[in-house]
């Protein structure tokens, strides 16, 4: 009996007018392909960039594909994961069996990617105990997403950093969440020897640029997560989790 074909992985990115966004998404997808040779991986965008998610799904159906795992390229479960993406997937061609994977975060691998970026920016493990870190996310009004960011900061603090403070870049700030520049000042006042800003975002764009401006008073600003190998591994983990129930049903 032949093994069933692996579902195609469709990575769903938000899209941006900033060309760096799509370039970073494509670099990440190339790393995913390199980590899992033979897996077909396609990329679709919700807005601004092409191909659209609907266009990718239509093309796959025309190619005779039957099974798809749609993976939101998002770090938290907020509006896009709960509303926008399910609405788009409901419009998929009827011949496709589409399973929506979980968002990427939280994951210890993403925390490892954050540290990778900080070390690439000049810090060393020996600096942890004297360095305060601003965990700077894009921001959300979704209570679940807000709680996840706060928990990541609390857990990361326990790995040896002087302090870790969450911050939001969006215009709407939940209670208790400062802007990046406010969190930098808070860590200075706390007495941390140095302050680093770690963007908890996947690709460059408007809000990451706002994070960078807010980091002007910090000693270190790391890069976005982008195509870090740990991020690619998380994508494949979420893909595997989504396809496992179907494989179990087939006895594979």
């Amino acid at each position: 009996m032949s093994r069933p074909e692996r579902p195609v992985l469709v990575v769903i990115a938000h899209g941006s007018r900033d060309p760096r966004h799509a370039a970073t998404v494509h670099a990440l997808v190339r790393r995913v392909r390199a980590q899992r040779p033979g897996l077909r991986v396609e990329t679709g965008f919700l807005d601004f960039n092409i191909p659209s998610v609907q266009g990718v799904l239509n093309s796959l159906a025309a190619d005779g594909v039957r099974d798809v795992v749609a993976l939101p390229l998002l770090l938290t479960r907020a509006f896009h994961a709960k509303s926008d993406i399910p609405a788009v997937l409901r419009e998929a061609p009827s011949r496709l069996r589409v399973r929506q994977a979980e968002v990427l975060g939280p994951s210890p691998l993403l925390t490892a990617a954050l540290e990778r970026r900080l070390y690439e920016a000049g810090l060393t493990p020996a600096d942890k105990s004297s360095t305060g870190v601003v965990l700077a996310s894009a921001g959300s009004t979704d209570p679940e997403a807000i709680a996840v960011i706060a928990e990541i900061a609390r857990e990361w603090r326990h790995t040896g950093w002087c302090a870790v403070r969450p911050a939001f870049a969006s215009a709407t700030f939940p209670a208790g969440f400062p802007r990046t520049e406010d969190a930098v000042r808070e860590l200075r006042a706390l007495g941390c020897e140095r302050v680093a800003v770690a963007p908890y975002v996947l690709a460059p764009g408007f809000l990451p640029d706002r994070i960078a401006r807010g980091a002007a008073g910090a000693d270190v600003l790391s890069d976005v997560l982008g195509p870090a190998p740990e991020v690619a591994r998380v994508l494949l983990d979420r893909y595997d989790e989504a396809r496992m129930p179907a494989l179990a049903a087939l006895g594979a």
Side-chain angles (χ1 to χ4, degrees), residues 136-158:
S137 68
S140 175
T141 58
D142 186 283
E144 180 182 353
I146 294 167
V148 166
I149 297 299
E151 180 61 21
I152 291 170
R154 283 192 293 267
E155 291 295 323
W156 201 15
R157 162 69 181 85
H158 296 318

Side-chain angles (χ1 to χ4, degrees), residues 10 23 40-41 53 64 68 74 77 89 93-94 108 119 129-131 140 144 152 198 205 207 216 219 222 244:
V10 176
R40 183 172 178 179
V41 186
V53 177
V68 170
L74 301 167
R77 290 191 74 250
L89 297 181
S94 58
Y119 297 150
S129 63
S130 57
T131 301
S140 175
E144 180 182 353
I152 291 170
L207 290 177
D219 302 292
S222 60
M244 281 308 166

Side-chain angles (χ1 to χ4, degrees), residues 65-140:
V65 171
R66 296 296 304 276
D67 290 295
V68 170
V69 169
L71 194 155
L73 197 61
L74 301 167
L75 295 173
T76 58
R77 290 191 74 250
F79 180 78
H80 292 305
K82 295 176 179 179
S83 181
D84 282 358
I85 292 175
V88 171
L89 297 181
R90 284 194 293 270
E91 300 300 317
S94 58
R95 67 169 287 121
L96 289 180
R97 289 189 292 263
V98 182
R99 294 185 291 282
Q100 181 176 333
E102 289 295 328
V103 298
L104 304 186
S107 168
L109 286 169
L110 294 177
T111 305
L114 286 167
E115 296 208 357
R116 170 190 290 275
R117 293 303 189 221
L118 285 170
Y119 297 150
E120 290 171 350
L123 294 179
T124 71
D127 296 324
K128 292 182 75 168
S129 63
S130 57
T131 301
V133 178
V134 177
L135 178 68
S137 68
S140 175

Side-chain angles (χ1 to χ4, degrees), residues 2-252:
S2 62
R3 294 179 60 85
E5 290 188 7
R6 287 184 291 186
V8 174
L9 171 57
V10 176
V11 176
I12 301 178
H14 183 276
S16 172
R17 293 186 179 90
D18 189 323
R20 297 173 298 167
H21 176 92
T24 302
V25 170
H26 289 310
L28 174 58
V29 169
R30 287 194 295 271
R31 189 176 286 275
V32 170
R33 292 187 182 117
Q35 289 192 10
R36 185 73 60 87
L39 173 63
R40 183 172 178 179
V41 186
E42 303 290 345
T43 307
F45 295 90
L46 290 174
D47 206 354
F48 301 116
N49 303 108
I50 56 174
S52 67
V53 177
Q54 191 63 51
V56 170
L57 295 175
N58 290 341
S59 295
L60 291 174
D63 285 348
V65 171
R66 296 296 304 276
D67 290 295
V68 170
V69 169
L71 194 155
L73 197 61
L74 301 167
L75 295 173
T76 58
R77 290 191 74 250
F79 180 78
H80 292 305
K82 295 176 179 179
S83 181
D84 282 358
I85 292 175
V88 171
L89 297 181
R90 284 194 293 270
E91 300 300 317
S94 58
R95 67 169 287 121
L96 289 180
R97 289 189 292 263
V98 182
R99 294 185 291 282
Q100 181 176 333
E102 289 295 328
V103 298
L104 304 186
S107 168
L109 286 169
L110 294 177
T111 305
L114 286 167
E115 296 208 357
R116 170 190 290 275
R117 293 303 189 221
L118 285 170
Y119 297 150
E120 290 171 350
L123 294 179
T124 71
D127 296 324
K128 292 182 75 168
S129 63
S130 57
T131 301
V133 178
V134 177
L135 178 68
S137 68
S140 175
T141 58
D142 186 283
E144 180 182 353
I146 294 167
V148 166
I149 297 299
E151 180 61 21
I152 291 170
R154 283 192 293 267
E155 291 295 323
W156 201 15
R157 162 69 181 85
H158 296 318
T159 65
W161 296 100
C162 174
V164 178
R165 293 289 186 272
F168 274 3
S170 62
T172 303
F173 302 100
F177 274 72
R179 298 175 300 172
T180 303
E181 51 266 43
D182 296 331
V184 169
R185 286 192 289 268
E186 180 184 345
L187 290 173
R188 291 278 188 220
L190 192 63
C192 297
E193 184 176 319
R194 67 184 63 79
V195 175
V197 174
Y200 189 59
V201 292
L202 288 165
F206 175 76
L207 290 177
D209 284 349
R210 181 178 286 176
I211 289 172
R213 291 193 297 272
D219 302 292
V220 173
L221 169 65
S222 60
D223 200 357
V224 298
L225 294 173
E230 295 87 355
V231 179
R233 285 174 55 195
V234 175
L235 263 71
L236 289 170
D237 285 347
R238 297 294 182 254
Y239 168 80
D240 289 336
E241 291 163 2
R243 67 192 274 263
M244 281 308 166
L247 290 179
L250 292 169

